[in-house]
Amino acid sequence: LQSDPQAFRSNIEQTLFNRQLGLLQPEFTQQREALEQNLADRGIPITSQGFNDAVNRLETQQGEQLSRLAQQSARVW
């Protein structure tokens, strides 16, 4: 049993975060692959500004999801 309550809490928060991240990561990967395929199908080259803008939007959305996940993991207590 943990003698340090803060370390115990931190460990649980990290465990919850990692569990949820494991569930989200395949979806994040699928979203990225689908976006890249969609852009390629539309003839938008990987090196173009349009490609970079679309990928940046997706990465921002995914980053926001990860931030919410971290906040939710900390709110369990």
Side-chain angles (χ1 to χ4, degrees):
L1 195 60
Q2 286 271 357
S3 61
D4 180 2
Q6 184 60 33
F8 182 70
R9 177 184 172 151
S10 180
N11 188 13
I12 289 176
E13 289 173 5
Q14 189 64 47
T15 299
L16 290 170
F17 179 84
N18 288 341
R19 169 84 169 105
Q20 293 300 317
L21 179 60
L23 297 172
L24 278 176
Q25 198 59 52
E27 178 64 22
F28 283 179
T29 300
Q30 189 277 329
Q31 288 173 350
R32 174 71 181 243
E33 290 171 353
L35 175 62
E36 289 179 0
Q37 185 61 55
N38 178 283
L39 295 170
D41 291 347
R42 293 168 43 202
I44 299 173
I46 291 175
T47 58
S48 72
Q49 187 63 44
F51 180 92
N52 290 334
D53 290 346
V55 169
N56 286 339
R57 278 191 301 274
L58 177 64
E59 289 176 348
T60 297
Q61 291 169 351
Q62 290 177 346
E64 289 169 356
Q65 285 182 285
L66 291 176
S67 292
R68 285 191 299 275
L69 176 60
Q71 291 170 352
Q72 290 169 355
S73 296
R75 273 192 239 141
V76 171
W77 293 89

